[in-house]
Amino acid sequence: MTSIGGEARDAFCEALLDDDAEQLYDRAPCGYLSTAPDGTILKVNQTFLTLTGYDRGQLVARMRFVQLLSAGGRIYHETHYAPMLSMHGEAHEIALDLVCANGSRLPVLVNSVLERDAHGAPLIVRTAVFDARLRRKYERELLRAKQRAEQSEAHARALAHTLQQTLIPPTPPAIPNLDVAAAYRPAGDGSEVGGDFYDIFQIGASDWVVAIGDVCGKGVNAAVVTALVRHTLRAATVQHAEPSKALRTLNDVLRQHQTDRFCTVALLRLRQADGEWIGTVSCAGHPLPLFRQSDGTLRAVGQPGALLGIVDEAPLRDAQIKLLPGDTLLLYTDGITEARNGKEFYGEERLAVAATQSYGSAEALASAVVSEALEFQAGRPRDDIAVVAIRVPLR
Amino acid sequence: MVSIAARHNINISGRPDGQPILFAHGFGCDQNMWRYVAPRFEDEFRVVLFDHIGAGGSDPSAYDPQRYSSLSGYAEDVVAICTELELRDAVFVGHSVSAMIGVLAAAAAPKLFAKLVLVGPSPRYINDDDYVGGFSVDDINDMLESLESNYLGWSSVMAPVIMGRADRPELGEELTESFCRTDPSIARQFARVTFLSDNRKDLPAVATPALVLQCVNDVIAPVSVGEFVCDRMPNASMVLLNATGHCPNLSAPEETAAAIEQFVRRSTFALR
């Protein structure tokens, strides 16, 4: 370490002597007050007087600190500041407004410490007051920005919720001679739009389409793709009788669309002819629907196909089944099979057991499957769940 | 469902068979406001301390903006606590806004309460024609802004500094960071509900013997407001404390406790 010498040393000593205790106090770069425990001002430095415009005689022994505050500050002082000081012995960085001698307001930051006597009784409060005009202005801007951000978040949530409502048909349409039920349960608290969807609509007399799918991702962007998928399927199924062709059209649309999202779809065309329902199924990366015949046998129908939106030529096939009275068909998303309890998945086997049982209605099947998957993960689905159940009524 | 004891962070001490005395804190802090006063009643009373929902160690998930959109939600809680704990002939001691909460509770369930102690009560903080509450609507908005500007600092910059120091016996370990710290949105609503309330019309209906404890220099509830409360209640008396400020339970616990004792132990003394 180098020590200063010569003239510099003399100047240093002189400065030290000039800066006596009185100057340290009076000309400190902050206002400084000493008050009795009841707040009566005992001593105040010049900086405080300069900041506020009061004369020493107006304050000392005449005013309590709280009386120098704005009305709002007085309430804050009494409900927060004084209790804090009394309980903790100190209070820091409290934002208050002083009312100056000319009536103007001075935003300040205040630190206080409470000194106690040997018996622990409050003796004196020492308070430093910092001019905080610029800081307060900046903080108000920050606060406004925070409030705006909170408002936009609430707005976005409301929007997502509204979108979600439009994406999930509340109840499936009534199809003559066919019992159809659907269930949907969003992940988590349900406040965010999920990627699962289903749609059931009519093409012609005794000609119906059931679609179920899962768009990757969540939130508004996923919802936009979900809407695109649903509307494309509605148009493409009018044009193409075979579900695989409708799915190919959807694949082309997704490939051309400015999205890198992909999706899975199981598309089912149902036609009634001569009193019998014929189903044609095509699956694009989607779990195969489960077909339970009235004799109690269960099998998956269709063949696994490629996810949509990934490659230009997605390999897709159609499979046909004949639905007889008492038969059921269950379409579902992976929110069922991938329901997790710790490290364990609900899985296809449990689902097969549930789907093999006999149910008196499509509604009973759909709700049994969903409630079992929910129960498995203690009622808190990590992923969306969608289910469509179809049953041919007994004659 | 969480028990009422956990929801309100209820702490019971004193004589299990004693007359119950329930201490309720005001806006801003929690039951620690009573830590210098409540223990003085443990020899004779069953002392019950609790936090209002949203304050101190209460269960924040129990806060329902709808329920707590008026003071009656808080009064219902007081009645529920008394009912649940089977408190009979209870003395209710309410500070600041809890004084009016106690008045509302006594109006709703008069049989539960033997006596009311109202510390720094105000049935209306805002001036209204001839009535001087002490504040204007602008003042209340100013206070809400004061709350806002302090939460910026409180939430991020100012880490709670709570130290156990031998020279400051008041800083007990059990005094958690929760003291005077409330979720900003809850504090905002509680402040609004408190300072915009008007309970002047509720006063004449409460015949429970009541004691108004009034400080000489209370900037929140001036002496004239304490007198107003005392005049309007059919069975009230007032004691003027020498204590300064709005929190005599902290600044003058001996004087406060002595005044309460004289009111609540009066009959006992006569028997002795």
Side-chain angles (χ1 to χ4, degrees), chain A residues 7 24 87 94 114 122 136 159 191 197 276 285 288 299 354 386:
Chain A
E7 283 178 26
L24 268 178
M87 301 290 279
I94 308 300
L114 171 66
R136 192 71 61 79
L159 179 66
S191 60
F197 68 93
E276 280 179 347
L288 303 180
R299 67 180 170 93

Side-chain angles (χ1 to χ4, degrees), chain B residues 232-245:
Chain B
R232 291 298 189 281
M233 292 184 76
N235 221 340
S237 57
M238 183 164 117
V239 168
L240 199 59
L241 301 173
N242 288 319
T244 301

Side-chain angles (χ1 to χ4, degrees), chain A residues 76 81 84 90-96 108-113 127-130 132 135-136 139, chain B residues 146-161 181:
Chain A
Y76 193 81
Y81 187 67
M84 275 279 283
E90 53 192 25
H92 291 292
E93 290 190 51
I94 308 300
L96 296 168
V108 290
L109 277 181
V110 174
N111 290 344
S112 290
V113 291
T127 299
V129 174
F130 298 88
R135 174 168 290 269
R136 192 71 61 79
E139 284 177 354
Chain B
S146 193
L147 271 182
E148 298 277 1
S149 46
N150 276 301
Y151 282 117
L152 258 189
W154 284 46
S155 55
S156 51
V157 184
M158 198 181 89
V161 187
R181 284 166 201 284

